[in-house]
Amino acid sequence: MTEIPRDQWYVAAYSSEIGHELFARTICGEPILFWRTRGGPVTAVPDRCVHRRFPLSQAPSRLVDDQVVCGYHGFTYASDGKCVAVPGQSRIPRTARLLPYPLVEQDSFVWVFIGDPAKADASAIPRAPYLDSPDYATVAGMEPLRARFSLLVDNLLDLSHETYLHGGYIGTAEVAATPITTEVDDEAGIVYVSRHMDDTECPPFYARSTGLRGRITRWQDIEYTPPCLYILHSRVAPVGSVPNPDGTDPDAFHVEVVYAITPETENSTHDFWAVARDFALEDQEVSTFLAESNRTVVLQDVAALDVLERVIATEPDGYQELSINIDTGGLAARRMLQRMARAPQAASTPS
Ligand code: FES
Ligand SMILES: [Fe+2]
């Protein structure tokens, strides 16, 4: 089993989810309270009053200007976590303080650092620039998963399951039939898995969104930066089309499928997904279709992984699963995650 790596950045929310009101979400087992301050930045502090543990996200706790007032006995905290008022006395205990989480808003995500705040290095956060780029149109969502995060990592690193679990959406026979190549960049902390199908059926997800008819070239290039960020660079084009030597690729349609894999607890996960495309940017119908279609695909995975979590809960200790070639990406990711869980930060911030 892979433990949750600490001293790492995780996506806690989309920026658009957090406004000037109390917002709670558990990340890596830690209940966190968020709100967007009047000045603009989002603040994140433990969602637990230092007095008697009442959740500060829970009514009648409330936000007054940029201070949160505990709904139990009225301890009041500023946005930096400092307690500014307690009932019945003017002296505020020195330890009455919520330790804020390091937080960065980037690429439409709110990232928080789980672990020792002194180790937080914002430059280590992996990028997904497509999500708020004017050159892409993006649809996005988040589905709760009642399964451990490593099951979602396995799932996303091995797309052969598209053929079976996602037939009629993104799966065709050629996905499972085409071998993959796997590369691991230990220094950068990235796992790459590629599958290039040069003459393949076009699944409905791409036929309807791009207008391509007949057979296509379909490339899937995965870039996973453990623990949290996964990007599938998807390229579909007429059969025979390849990018120009200078990198331009005018005949192809590009879709960046981004997942943020954030553990909620040891056995549940926030499954953030986004689909960014570089075509039909203004076409609302295409946006609606891709949003509905991808959400359906994500829910097919969620249903399967929820079952796996229940299966794991009842299996005997020492049960051995069997791996084959399609699993090389997932196994490489597991090794990296296990190293991160053992040696915080060593795998993600090369110096
Ligand atoms: S529990 Fe918050 S003020 Fe008492
Ligand atoms: Fe899937």
Side-chain angles (χ1 to χ4, degrees), residues 60-329:
S61 296
R62 64 189 196 281
L63 192 60
V64 178
D65 241 341
D66 267 335
Q67 298 183 341
V68 61
V69 182
C70 178
Y72 197 2
H73 316 93
F75 271 50
T76 301
Y77 303 89
S79 60
D80 63 358
K82 244 178 108 181
C83 184
V84 293
V86 298
Q89 61 183 63
S90 56
R91 192 188 71 81
I92 296 168
R94 203 173 35 85
T95 54
R97 174 150 223 261
L98 303 166
L99 193 60
Y101 286 85
L103 183 147
V104 172
E105 280 189 83
Q106 188 166 278
D107 303 329
S108 86
F109 288 134
V110 174
W111 291 85
V112 289
F113 190 79
I114 299 296
D116 176 359
K119 294 182 179 163
D121 170 9
S123 70
I125 301 174
R127 302 299 306 258
Y130 329 97
L131 302 188
D132 60 5
S133 160
D135 300 331
Y136 289 80
T138 300
V139 293
M142 192 279 271
E143 312 305 328
L145 178 63
R146 303 265 76 87
R148 66 198 63 191
F149 82 106
S150 56
L151 287 174
L152 183 56
V153 174
D154 274 358
N155 171 279
L156 290 171
L157 271 283
D158 170 20
L159 297 179
S160 68
H161 78 271
E162 288 184 354
T163 303
Y164 299 92
L165 206 52
H166 306 307
Y169 291 88
I170 52 175
T172 64
E174 293 93 345
V175 181
T178 307
I180 54 165
T181 58
T182 301
E183 263 178 62
V184 178
D185 184 338
D186 275 315
E187 198 162 319
I190 301 176
V191 178
Y192 299 95
V193 180
S194 290
R195 173 183 278 109
H196 287 193
M197 295 163 274
D198 288 325
D199 184 350
T200 182
E201 188 190 331
C202 188
F205 187 86
Y206 291 113
R208 202 165 143 194
S209 59
T210 64
L212 281 171
R213 295 286 171 262
R215 296 184 65 83
I216 57 163
T217 290
R218 180 182 182 191
W219 292 358
Q220 298 177 320
D221 292 294
I222 294 169
E223 184 179 349
Y224 173 48
T225 312
C228 193
L229 190 71
Y230 169 99
I231 302 174
L232 166 62
H233 307 286
S234 176
R235 173 183 185 272
V236 295
V239 172
S241 154
V242 290
N244 295 324
D246 66 0
T248 55
D249 195 12
D251 295 334
F253 299 83
H254 301 91
V255 177
E256 305 291 342
V257 185
V258 178
Y259 284 83
I261 305 163
T262 301
E264 179 188 38
T265 65
E266 290 285 347
N267 302 94
S268 59
T269 304
H270 304 295
D271 184 349
F272 294 91
W273 59 266
V275 175
R277 65 181 190 274
D278 72 349
F279 55 91
L281 298 187
E282 307 295 332
D283 194 328
Q284 192 49 45
E285 220 173 289
V286 171
S287 292
T288 305
F289 168 73
L290 287 178
E292 281 172 5
S293 212
N294 204 67
R295 179 158 189 269
T296 303
V297 164
V298 170
L299 291 176
Q300 288 167 339
D301 284 326
V302 165
L305 301 182
D306 285 2
V307 168
L308 290 191
E309 184 66 36
R310 294 200 293 275
V311 170
I312 290 170
T314 59
E315 78 190 6
D317 278 352
Y319 175 82
Q320 286 290 321
E321 57 188 9
L322 176 82
S323 297
I324 59 170
N325 287 344
I326 55 172
D327 300 305
T328 49

Side-chain angles (χ1 to χ4, degrees), residues 46-59:
D47 187 16
R48 185 193 285 123
C49 182
V50 296
H51 179 225
R52 289 295 180 267
R53 301 186 183 82
F54 193 75
L56 296 165
S57 61
Q58 186 166 316

